[in-house]
Amino acid sequence: MSYMVTGRIPVPELRSDIERLRRLLDDLERIRRGDHPSAARIARAPILNNWEMAQRLELCLTGVVNGHPIITDDKEAYTSALWVISPELGYARTFSRLYRLGTPYADPSLH
């Protein structure tokens, strides 16, 4: 889920996503330690039949990045999933990090 923020206002809509992320983080921490879901917890979970791996599209940003801890400067990159964007305040928060928004893309064919 992505949120467009205009101005320095509270964003109460984030509450449910924050709660879901906390539950995910708790589960991931337990699994990391080797404390996998119990047979009883798995038995209470919804069943997924005829399953297979798939991919979903997620909203993200693309652009030329500078100052990234992994990607070298002046490289075209795609961000992780976009969570919050506020062009007015000059930032975007993706799943993995905060970005300062520079100049937006301007399609030369429109000029």
Side-chain angles (χ1 to χ4, degrees):
M1 174 68 74
S2 298
Y3 297 90
M4 176 68 78
V5 177
T6 57
R8 296 196 173 277
I9 59 172
V11 186
E13 299 85 0
L14 284 168
R15 177 169 304 178
S16 64
D17 282 333
I18 291 168
E19 290 168 4
R20 289 176 59 204
L21 285 166
R22 281 191 179 126
R23 289 192 302 271
L24 172 61
L25 181 60
D26 289 345
D27 282 347
L28 292 174
E29 284 289 342
R30 282 191 291 273
I31 291 166
R32 181 186 60 82
R33 293 190 307 264
D35 182 11
H36 296 272
S38 68
R41 184 172 176 206
I42 294 170
R44 289 190 305 272
I47 190 164
L48 184 62
N49 289 309
N50 200 26
W51 66 270
E52 62 182 315
M53 298 289 229
Q55 290 184 325
R56 296 170 39 161
L57 296 175
E58 292 184 297
L59 192 60
C60 67
L61 297 174
T62 185
V64 178
V65 69
N66 284 280
H68 193 281
I70 299 169
I71 303 169
T72 57
D73 285 351
D74 298 320
K75 295 283 185 178
E76 179 93 14
Y78 288 87
T79 68
S80 56
L82 180 64
W83 281 78
V84 176
I85 184 166
S86 181
E88 179 182 302
L89 298 177
Y91 78 92
R93 180 57 163 100
T94 68
F95 183 74
S96 60
R97 72 188 70 256
L98 180 72
Y99 286 92
R100 177 171 30 123
L101 296 175
T103 306
Y105 176 73
D107 188 341
S109 68
L110 297 177
H111 297 286

